[in-house]
Every structure is written in structure tokens, then in C-alpha cells.
Amino acid sequence: VDILLHYIRKTFDEESKILDFHHPHQLLEGLDGFNLELSDQPEPLEQLLVDCRDTLKYGVKTGHPRFFNQLSSGLDMIGLAGEWLTATANTNMFTYEISPVFIVMEMILLKKMHEMIGWGETEADGIFSPGGSISNLYSILVARYKKFPEIKTKGMAVLPQIVLLVSEHSHYSIRKIAAVLGIGTDNVIEVKCDERGKMIPLELEENILRSKKMGLTPFCVSATAGTTVYGAFDPLNNIADVCERHNLWMHVDAAWGGGLLMSKKHSYKLHGIERANSVTWNPHKLMGVPLQCSVVLIREKGLLESCNQMCAEYLFQPDKHYDVGYDTGDKTIQCGRHVDIFKLWLMWKAKGTSGFEVQINTFMELADYLYKILKKKENFELVFDGEPELTNVCFWYIPPRLKSISNEYERQQELQKIAPKIKALMIEEGTTMVSYQPHGDKVNFFRMVFSNPATKQSDVDFLIDEIERLGRAL
Amino acid sequence: VDILLHYIRKTFDEESKILDFHHPHQLLEGLDGFNLELSDQPEPLEQLLVDCRDTLKYGVKTGHPRFFNQLSSGLDMIGLAGEWLTATANTNMFTYEISPVFIVMEMILLKKMHEMIGWGETEADGIFSPGGSISNLYSILVARYKKFPEIKTKGMAVLPQIVLLVSEHSHYSIRKIAAVLGIGTDNVIEVKCDERGKMIPLELEENILRSKKMGLTPFCVSATAGTTVYGAFDPLNNIADVCERHNLWMHVDAAWGGGLLMSKKHSYKLHGIERANSVTWNPHKLMGVPLQCSVVLIREKGLLESCNQMCAEYLFQPDKHYDVGYDTGDKTIQCGRHVDIFKLWLMWKAKGTSGFEVQINTFMELADYLYKILKKKENFELVFDGEPELTNVCFWYIPPRLKSISNEYERQQELQKIAPKIKALMIEEGTTMVSYQPHGDKVNFFRMVFSNPATKQSDVDFLIDEIERLGRAL
């Protein structure tokens, strides 16, 4: 515990290094007494403690105020306490029998989140799952089952050629899911977005009509509330109109943007989400809950269970002495299921809805602060204009040398190499971490996101200075 | 931390109650100051501490020496420390970039487990996943892809009618997976077992031939090494022969029985596993690692990646400055992935292979001890005869009253009600927990399993006495 507390103190110290980078082969070969190989014989406790210290030493401090690399960052102390208690309880969500408290907490949180979505009085359903991709998988699975219940027993052989529609900026997990479910990635139609990365409803409708004309059967649209790279919100109400007209299941992947529902100031960006049939929402992202904490919410009660139920007699005995309607295991595609609920429940108790709201509003202010600075800075260029709708800010750093390149193609070729080089230097020096990627026809740019409660304005200033310092001579 | 340590001490005290049972509606209404509802406003720290204490108080002590309810039980202190460190590090397995140490640990453990399976020199592959069902899903997914790589892009529409084969005692997750993957549960052929619950290879071959004659295309056999209820091992070598003859993918679901590979004395029961194409193995079961810790091991390297790869540019940038072959995220159906490896790695360091071996041999001795006692006891009847091959012991308790019922049907009807009644009393009193279920034509019986390192012979004696005490008057 002392080792862990020491690490936590260092994590929050902005002057400490985020990481002490070593290449994979260096770790494999063993570093200065840190040998990862396993032997047949036990090792003494002192060695284990050294190993624990080294594991943290050579890892990445994702709670560091200058760690901006992923949508999940930060280290909430209440959430951490919740996770420690969860580990100590070491139980499993499949039955009320061995998880009475956690099952009831899950029910309460599902209800709370339904209210925030705006499903109000309907008795909505859902399940916490091991991450956003699996939550999205549940949605598409249930959407398919709703339209074609025979899929469960007969398989795809008895279905027409089904297709689903997403935006070209949607998360790659939807394509993965199509491969897993036996739909095939070719049957995922990618709908064009506007320059902000929002799905164009007219394009959506045209794609639906075109696919029908080709003899295909659209069954589901997966809209995104908060895209991974741009942080864009699809126009949910317009998409809901299209879905209603064509009788399609509407899923909203709000894994990243769902957190804005906690903010009275920003929740309007998700207007129309109450018309969705299913929603993915990851509290481990914008709400800062420790990994993993993701939920899929389904509007129609009972669908999840009838889709996935197998009635395994060794777990879900109908003759138990309590109301077995509380056993959740027959709703899931898992059997055993990790307890991800307690840390969220405890954080909610500790912060209240209002506490999450303050935190999320602060992230938005930081994004706005960064956006306004970059707009003015000469060596930085924004990937698209307009105030941030979520905490994503996408930009290039343009080293002075590139300004003299007049050939645009050549300039882009050079610009493509800049972000990776700066990132490599950041990692080598361990001062900050921010992600980069190309996107569509845009060459490598930085994607800054705010989801770390430890981050302050001065850390934003630091990031800009650091990129300039590392990139100037490139 | 004090609350947690106090709980741990109580967990290991065999005189303490395993649980303080309340019905769902009681928990929902709130118990003696324990209110699970969430509000908009934050609550003070003192209240949170009370809530933590109550959460543990009204939960189930799965580490209690007399908790025998699930295949996962016990509370290993080193594993727990590993989980606390994991929570503190709060990172994600998708890239080496943010999980360098954990990624290398995963590689080392995959290699170690391949060696134990006997795949030896081949460069085998695998991934840790959120539970045995998902691990089994990976296997069937990869099996299908290996035979029909076009499935990834085109979907099931371009495939013949595929079927997979399992034993009638196999885990229900295989049927769930068939539903998820779009194969359909009707296309899961259940092969007959002998009285010990082992798949009959002749029946397997007959089923394959019959399905081919019907125009179906078998592609995979999922054998089981340690069935959930009986603890049976399918005859792997005979099944491998059949698979080779018909060119089928052989998966072994060793989620439960895989642990025996750690024991020189018992590993012979899995002979033939080295001929499998894929194996599921859950260290969170027999090896006592805290939940969740499950792995799927794939013999042919690269298959997992080509099956699941989507090359998301925002995560798996090819122009990173380290060897991106170490990024694991493109092998998985998840995007973010919880760190399940460290606790296993730390436990292995602490115990060595030899420590796991001793622990598992002890479980087997306890099972044998229970079996021998029950064989002699007048009021108990074994579900099948023969020494336990795994730690499962299945039995009925026969109250004196039932002996006078001469009509066999009537006697079975009464016997069906006995185990649930005894179980309900156990839970009400909180003295011990053991699972029961019907199976095939067998009415409700108890399934005892040993996977809890805290359990001693005296706890086995206690269980028998307790069942007699609670059941005598029924």
C-alpha cells in the first residue's frame, strides 16, 4: 500500500516524468534487476515488492496532469478506493445470489442513466459490459434480433442480406462487430460527414434508399455522440426522423460524448438521444471512472434477455428462494462478469450529479481555452474551425522550415512526419503525451482531449510550449 | 484500507457468516442507514466510509473457507495486491505505448502457457479476455475465419450452412456464441456423453458424417477439459483423431480444468490438448487468480490479428517510434482492454509453478476425501460413481422421509425439492454455500467444487454435517 500511495503522489506531481520509456526488447531482456521471466520456484516477498515498484516505474502515469493520450485518463481517488473494494469483494455479477448489493446498484444506475437520456417513465433495460466495443456489439446484436428473432436459432442463413449504416467518422468497433456477428464489413455502409465530422442526414437517407434498391435490407443506424477524433455529435433528431421513416433501429454510440448528459450547459448537444433504441455510454471516459466502466442501455425492456437467454440450469435455477428476475447473467453474452458498478456508484455518491457537471464543464472550458490560443498562434493550424463541441481539439504544428515549401503536395508529405517525430521526443523525454493520427485526407495531426481532472490551464500552456520546443527544429 | 483489511480478516474466519441475506426489495428500500439511491448532491466522506462498510457487510464473502458456490472462489492476498496495483496504474492493454510492462508480461505468460499445453517450439498466439465465454467466442470466431476468410468482409451470406459440435455437457457459452456469431443455436450439434459426462468419440464421428450427408458443413469441434457440473474431461486424443480425419478446427474449453496442467500428477487428464488449435483457460478458476483472468490461446500465429484487425489509425499508427508489433489492440474484438495480467504474473512470481501445483493437488485431495466419505454415508448418494477427475463431486442428500417412498417417480419429484430447500436454509443462516442444479434426467443435486485455498478438511466435514442438519427434517 505504501508503494501505491507513493506512486499516486508522484502521479499528481506535474514535474515528475509521465514515463521512463524503454523499447520492448529492453523490457524482455530485463532492466537493472527487473526481470519479467517466471520461474518454477517461488520468489521472496522482498523481491515481489521490488517488482511492484518497478512495474509502476516502467509504466505510464495515466493520471499525470499532462497525460492527454487517451479518452480515458486521470486517477480519481474515490473511484480507485471503489476498485480496491471491488477487488477485495472478488465476486461476479451473474447472480443476485453472490452479488446482491452490486446487482441492486447496477439497477439503480441503469435507471439513473435512463432518466438522463430522457427515456423517463419507460422501464428501460441495459447491462454494464467490458468496454465500449462490447456495448456497441450488444446494441447491434439486439437490433438484429428485434427485427429477425429467428436469427438466434437459425443463424444468418434465413435472413435477407442485412446492412447497417454508420458515419465515416464513427468508431471502428462497428466494423469489427459486423465481422464478428457474421454480417461482414462490406455490409457496413459509411455515410459521408460534413467538415465537422457530423453525419449528413440527407446522405444517410440516400444510402438507405440506394441499398434497398440493390435488394439489401438496412436494419440499423449507429449514430455517434462524440466521435473519437473530432469529438463531433451527429444530428440525432434528424437521424431519428430518418430511422422512423424507414423503421430502422437507432443506436447512439455515446461512449465518449455521453458524459455531457451530466451537464445542463452542454447536454443540448445530445438532443434526440431520447429517440434512440439503444445507447452506449462509457463512464470510464469523460466521467473519469477507473477502467473498465461501460454500459449499454436498451430502451425496450426484456429484449436483451430474450436475445441472449440460454437458461443454464447450473446458474439460473428457477427454484431459488429469491426473485430470480434479479439474476442478470441471462442478459449477457458473458457468463462471469466483472463488477464494474461499485466504483461508479461510489463516485456518484461522492460527487453527486452536480460534481460530475462541474468537472465536465471544466474540461469544456479547457478545450475552449486551448482552441482560442491555437487560433491565434502562428505556428499552429486547426484541422477544422469552430468552437469545440466536446473536449477534442485537433491541430497541426507547423515548423518554420515548412513555411518555405511552396509545393503543397511536398509540404503535406513533410507535415505528415512532424507529429510522429514530436510524439517520439515527448515519449523519450517523458514530459507529456498526446495522440496523433491521419484522418481521411488529412495528414498526421495532434488530437488533444480533456478528460483528466488533474489538468489545469498551466498544463495546456505547457503542452503548447513543449510542442513548439520539440518541433521548432524539425 | 482499514475497512478492507478488517473485511479480509473476517473473510478468513470460518466462524463468521458468509453472508447476511436480504431480499432484493429489502436492499432497494434501504437497510438500516444503507441507502443505495443516488442524489444530485455530494455526500460527506464519513458517509462514504459507512457505505463501503455496508457494501461489504451485505455482500457475499467469496473467500470464506466454506464458500463453495462457484468455480471461482478464494481470496489470494498476492493476487489482491496485484489487482490493487492494476487499479492504481489504471491503464489499458491496447497499445505498448501506454502499457509497456503489462504487454510484455502478457507475452511472457502466453509463452509460458503455450509451453504447458505442449505447443512447444511453435510461435503460438493468444489474448487475455474478459472471461471464458469471450475466450470461447474468440476460438469459434478464429476457427470460422481460418476456414472461410471471406466471412470477415462478406458475412455469413457467402458461406455454406456451417455447424459446430460440442458435447451435451459442454458449457452453455458455446450455444450463446453460435447465436452471437450468426451461426444459430440450431447449428450447434450436441454429441452424447458417457455416464461420466465425457464426449463419446464414436458419436462425434457419426454426427459429423450425418451432418455432411444432410448438406451441412462442420467446421469446428469444441471439446471440454473439465465440464462445469461433472468436472469431466473429454477424450482429447480420440477427438483430435476425428478432427484430423475431417479437417476440423479443434478447440478445447479448459476454462475450468486447465489448471491441472500445473500439476505433474494430474496433467495426464488433458493428454491430447497439444493437438488442439485453440484453448480457453481461466486462471481465475482453479488457479485462484482474482476475477477476471481468462485467456484464449491460439496455436497458429497471426490468425487472431488477421481475423480481427481493422487498423484504426488513431490508435495503431504505423509510424510510431517503437516496434508496433507489440500493440495488441488489433488482435481483439474489444478496443480498450482491462489489465488482467499483472495479478497472474505476480502470483506466479510468488508461488512459482510449484506453488500452483501444490495448491491444485490439495484441491484434488479434498475432492477425493469428500468422495470417499460420501460413498460410505447412508444418507448421501453420488450422482455417478468413480473417483473425481477434477474437484467436482456431485451428490444428493436423501432425507430419511424419502426412503419410505416406494414409487420411484414420486421419490424423484420429492428429491427435486430437497437441494433448493437446503440451499435456501444455508443462505438464510449464512453458514456455507454450495451450488445445486438438475442435469439431463437427474433431479436437483449438489455440485461441490474445490478452488478455494482457504478450505480445509474440517470445512468438508462441516459441509456434510450442515447438509444433514438442515436436511434431516425435510
Side-chain angles (χ1 to χ4, degrees), chain B residues 276-437:
Chain B
N277 300 97
S278 58
V279 171
T280 290
W281 180 354
N282 286 9
H284 71 217
K285 294 199 162 87
L286 211 49
M287 288 165 71
V289 179
L291 284 161
Q292 57 193 41
C293 192
S294 170
V295 64
V296 56
L297 302 148
I298 311 274
R299 195 160 154 200
E300 182 180 332
K301 179 140 175 124
L303 215 43
L304 201 51
E305 183 147 11
S306 58
C307 177
N308 293 318
Q309 188 170 50
M310 291 289 155
C311 298
E313 286 172 326
Y314 81 95
L315 272 180
F316 313 117
Q317 304 89 338
D319 47 13
K320 285 181 185 175
H321 79 303
Y322 60 85
D323 178 355
V324 294
Y326 287 85
D327 288 350
T328 63
D330 243 4
K331 288 186 188 180
T332 74
I333 61 166
Q334 302 185 260
C335 173
R337 185 162 60 100
H338 189 259
V339 178
D340 297 329
I341 197 71
F342 181 68
K343 56 197 166 191
L344 172 59
W345 182 86
L346 195 65
M347 280 176 70
W348 207 307
K349 273 258 171 183
K351 288 178 197 290
T353 319
S354 62
F356 281 116
E357 178 168 24
V358 170
Q359 182 178 303
I360 284 164
N361 286 348
T362 307
F363 295 151
M364 289 301 299
E365 283 157 23
L366 285 169
D368 201 57
Y369 175 76
L370 173 63
Y371 165 76
K372 286 193 172 129
I373 293 183
L374 292 182
K375 218 171 139 73
K376 278 185 262 171
K377 279 259 177 187
E378 213 181 316
N379 287 330
F380 288 84
E381 200 177 305
L382 290 159
V383 171
F384 55 87
D385 201 23
E387 282 178 18
E389 293 195 325
L390 196 45
T391 76
N392 309 47
V393 180
C394 297
F395 61 90
W396 290 280
Y397 170 73
I398 322 274
R401 177 176 68 86
L402 263 66
K403 300 215 170 128
S404 60
I405 303 177
S406 56
N407 180 312
E408 184 56 24
Y409 173 78
E410 206 178 299
R411 201 181 87 105
Q412 293 291 324
Q413 290 293 93
E414 286 302 304
L415 187 55
Q416 168 80 347
K417 296 177 204 153
I418 298 302
K421 279 187 190 159
I422 294 176
K423 175 70 177 274
L425 293 169
M426 280 176 181
I427 287 183
E428 293 288 354
E429 300 198 14
T431 47
T432 182
M433 282 178 83
V434 57
S435 91
Y436 73 86
Q437 65 280 298

Side-chain angles (χ1 to χ4, degrees), chain B residues 121-133:
Chain B
E121 293 309 299
T122 65
E123 261 207 274
D125 209 343
I127 200 97
F128 279 75
S129 95
S133 294

Side-chain angles (χ1 to χ4, degrees), chain A residues 175-342:
Chain A
R175 296 180 63 237
K176 245 182 201 192
I177 292 158
V180 171
L181 301 190
I183 296 169
T185 53
D186 285 356
N187 297 307
V188 179
I189 299 175
E190 295 197 348
V191 179
K192 266 197 197 143
C193 292
D194 65 18
E195 58 177 26
R196 285 294 298 256
K198 294 165 180 286
M199 190 195 281
I200 303 171
L202 259 178
E203 289 278 343
L204 172 65
E205 188 139 32
E206 271 172 30
N207 271 293
I208 292 169
L209 294 171
R210 198 177 312 135
S211 67
K212 281 184 175 177
K213 227 177 254 170
M214 289 166 67
L216 306 171
T217 306
F219 73 106
C220 173
V221 176
S222 176
T224 312
T227 57
T228 315
V229 179
Y230 281 19
F233 289 87
D234 285 345
L236 301 182
N237 265 318
N238 299 337
I239 291 171
D241 291 342
V242 177
C243 287
E244 274 172 23
R245 267 202 293 282
H246 297 276
N247 190 27
L248 305 181
W249 182 280
M250 178 176 168
H251 173 59
V252 177
D253 178 357
W256 172 223
L260 288 200
L261 290 170
M262 308 296 284
S263 162
K264 286 191 271 299
K265 191 170 169 194
H266 296 287
S267 61
Y268 73 91
K269 295 167 188 170
L270 292 102
H271 272 179
I273 197 170
E274 70 283 359
R275 295 170 69 188
N277 299 97
S278 57
V279 171
T280 290
W281 181 354
N282 287 8
H284 70 218
K285 294 199 163 87
L286 212 49
M287 290 166 70
V289 178
L291 284 162
Q292 59 193 37
C293 192
S294 170
V295 64
V296 57
L297 302 149
I298 311 274
R299 195 158 155 205
E300 182 180 332
K301 179 142 174 120
L303 215 45
L304 201 51
E305 183 147 10
S306 58
C307 176
N308 293 319
Q309 188 170 50
M310 292 288 155
C311 299
E313 288 172 325
Y314 81 96
L315 272 179
F316 313 116
Q317 304 89 339
D319 47 13
K320 285 181 186 176
H321 79 302
Y322 62 84
D323 179 355
V324 293
Y326 288 85
D327 288 350
T328 63
D330 243 4
K331 288 186 188 180
T332 72
I333 61 164
Q334 301 185 261
C335 173
R337 185 161 60 99
H338 190 259
V339 178
D340 297 329
I341 197 69
F342 181 68

